[in-house]
Amino acid sequence: MSAARAVGLLLGVMADAMVGESVRGRADATLTRVARAVQRRVPADHPVAGAVHVGAVAGAAVLAGVAVERVGRTRPLLNAVTTAAGTWAVLGGARLATDGTALARQLETGDVRATRQTLAHWDPRCSDDLDAVALARASVEAVAHNSSDTVVAPLLWGAVAGVPGLLGSRAVGVVRRTSGERPDRRRSSAASAHLDTVVNLLPTRLAAALTVAGAPVVGGSARAAWQAWRRDTVLHPHPNSGRVVAAYAGALEVRLGGRTAYPDGVRELPVLGDGRNPDAGHVTRAVELSRVVGWLAGVTSAVVALRPRLRRRRRG
């Protein structure tokens, strides 16, 4: 099964790159509908509501994945096919590239209004008052965050737990996002935020490491990426958020982070990196780096999936 899982993960990564951003058959659209339906049926702002919300959606996703995994348990070819389909369904690499390219194009043409609208659909920060420089910074940060959340995290959990890991990890991210859409649910969204933090503890660090490794491919600096990751995230208040962003800042030799406005208030975040302010060209390079990170994550996930088989061979 480990070999079939590894093959399925790689095929899913290839399918995401080849098929493009079409949402037909993608898990995010279905999970979002389920998350919003469950959200409407729980109390608006009760501490238990968040646990019910994330438990129902993530639990249903994991159970669906278990059912799919059981079908192919004794048939390696079928297991590879279902893993590939599940991987393609949850990966957001193609959508990330499309949206990131759109942001870069809008910044390049000076269409600040369109850039704000595109970013608002993709990132939770308040973008109405951002100028071109701030929008470029936010765009690079959004690419970095999403390369971890929608590509590296599903692949790593898919390698560890198969289709249940793929669907479950993506469901947690979707619940976190939909919970943030309603300001009246700040207390109830705490459970999804905490679970999202736990689920992404390892993926964010893997994503940062892959960013360091992939930086030279896009003309970036692996050394600066490593230094920014290790140096600048020490003061970051979140155990995950600053890791990948700092690595991207170092790789692209720009400054990210700093004062950021969200619907629930303004946060004074540490400055990440020590280069120049980013521009449209850096957004384009961030998208290219996200593609490299995605392919490296695919190979890494396949290796992780093969580890039990390799361990058995050594023992034999």
Side-chain angles (χ1 to χ4, degrees), residues 8 25 31 34 37 40 55-56 92 94 131 136 145 174 187 208 224 236 249:
L31 289 170
V34 172
R40 288 193 294 269
D131 60 14
H145 279 301
V174 168
R187 290 173 63 204
H236 203 284

Side-chain angles (χ1 to χ4, degrees), residues 160-200:
V160 172
V163 180
L166 288 165
L167 296 180
S169 65
R170 196 67 211 107
V172 171
V174 168
V175 172
R176 172 71 186 275
R177 188 187 71 238
T178 55
S179 297
E181 294 173 348
R182 296 275 299 275
D184 61 326
R185 292 180 176 270
R186 290 175 185 170
R187 290 173 63 204
S188 65
S189 65
S192 61
H194 291 321
L195 183 58
D196 183 75
T197 297
V198 172
V199 167
N200 283 286

Side-chain angles (χ1 to χ4, degrees), residues 1 4-5 7-9 11-12 64-90 158 162-164 166-167:
M1 180 180 291
R5 180 179 294 174
V7 170
L9 290 167
L11 289 175
V66 170
V68 171
E69 193 90 344
R70 286 178 65 88
V71 172
R73 175 173 294 178
T74 59
R75 289 174 276 188
L77 180 59
L78 181 58
N79 183 258
V81 171
T82 55
T83 301
T87 303
W88 172 80
V90 302
V163 180
L166 288 165
L167 296 180

Side-chain angles (χ1 to χ4, degrees), residues 30-107:
T30 301
L31 289 170
T32 298
R33 288 195 295 270
V34 172
R36 287 172 178 163
V38 173
Q39 190 178 58
R40 288 193 294 269
R41 288 165 173 77
V42 297
D45 195 20
H46 191 280
V48 181
V52 173
H53 188 198
V54 69
V57 180
V62 170
L63 288 175
V66 170
V68 171
E69 193 90 344
R70 286 178 65 88
V71 172
R73 175 173 294 178
T74 59
R75 289 174 276 188
L77 180 59
L78 181 58
N79 183 258
V81 171
T82 55
T83 301
T87 303
W88 172 80
V90 302
L91 283 191
R95 183 63 183 270
L96 184 156
T98 299
D99 289 346
T101 301
L103 286 168
R105 188 185 310 114
Q106 291 160 357
L107 284 167

Side-chain angles (χ1 to χ4, degrees), residues 207-225:
L210 297 179
T211 301
V212 173
V217 180
V218 298
S221 170
R223 180 180 180 182

